[in-house]
Amino acid sequence: MYKNWNDIVNDFPTIPYLFVGSGLTKRYYNLPSWGDLLKHFIKIISDDEFAYQYYLDKCGQKFEAVGTLLEKDFNEKWFNTPSIRSTAPDVAKSVREGVSPFKAEVSEYIKQQSLLQEKYSEEIGL
């Protein structure tokens, strides 16, 4: 006998999590993949064409580790180089409240770049 979805979830010992990869946001919002997002922020702090490869090699090709190392480097550069800072008021406000400049800038970037792709509006509605 088949259970419905609610019965299956109710039987879980913990709250279920749904992991959605970057493919969903790439398709519907034209946002970058994890790698492309990291490349974008690396280019803000370095004009070296091999900087992205350096981070990948140093971190064993793991995006999470690249993000951690990049955040440290980005924050240092952000605090010491006002010209790389976003002019968005939300970024400055967040940093004043203790948010990492990297996280504040990534958040603002995603907010600014998130444009629903109209060609998928019917699909999204379903």
Side-chain angles (χ1 to χ4, degrees):
M1 179 175 158
Y2 292 103
K3 293 182 174 183
N4 70 37
W5 180 247
N6 287 333
D7 292 336
I8 293 170
V9 172
N10 287 335
D11 288 344
F12 289 169
T14 61
I15 297 171
Y17 290 93
L18 174 64
F19 174 78
V20 179
S22 64
L24 192 68
T25 55
K26 280 184 68 106
R27 179 177 178 92
Y28 297 114
Y29 285 93
N30 201 31
L31 288 172
S33 67
W34 287 114
D36 290 338
L37 184 68
L38 294 169
K39 281 180 194 175
H40 172 79
F41 283 93
I42 289 169
K43 285 180 183 176
I44 291 173
I45 63 168
S46 175
D47 59 359
D48 183 340
E49 69 175 297
F50 297 105
Y52 177 68
Q53 190 60 47
Y54 164 79
Y55 278 95
L56 282 177
D57 289 350
K58 187 167 182 141
C59 297
Q61 309 293 317
K62 296 179 180 160
F63 288 150
E64 182 179 347
V66 170
T68 299
L69 181 58
L70 175 57
E71 179 178 17
K72 179 182 176 291
D73 294 346
F74 186 93
N75 289 351
E76 184 174 331
K77 183 96 174 197
W78 192 93
F79 282 117
N80 294 304
T81 314
S83 63
I84 71 164
R85 298 176 190 166
S86 166
T87 58
D90 288 346
V91 172
K93 179 178 182 276
S94 293
V95 173
R96 280 188 204 98
E97 293 172 353
V99 173
S100 152
F102 178 70
K103 290 177 181 172
E105 294 281 3
V106 168
S107 175
E108 182 63 27
Y109 177 77
I110 290 172
K111 185 168 53 173
Q112 294 299 320
Q113 298 298 314
S114 292
L115 301 170
L116 184 63
Q117 300 296 299
E118 291 298 321
K119 64 184 176 183
Y120 296 116
S121 59
E122 183 178 339
E123 189 174 316
I124 291 167
L126 294 173

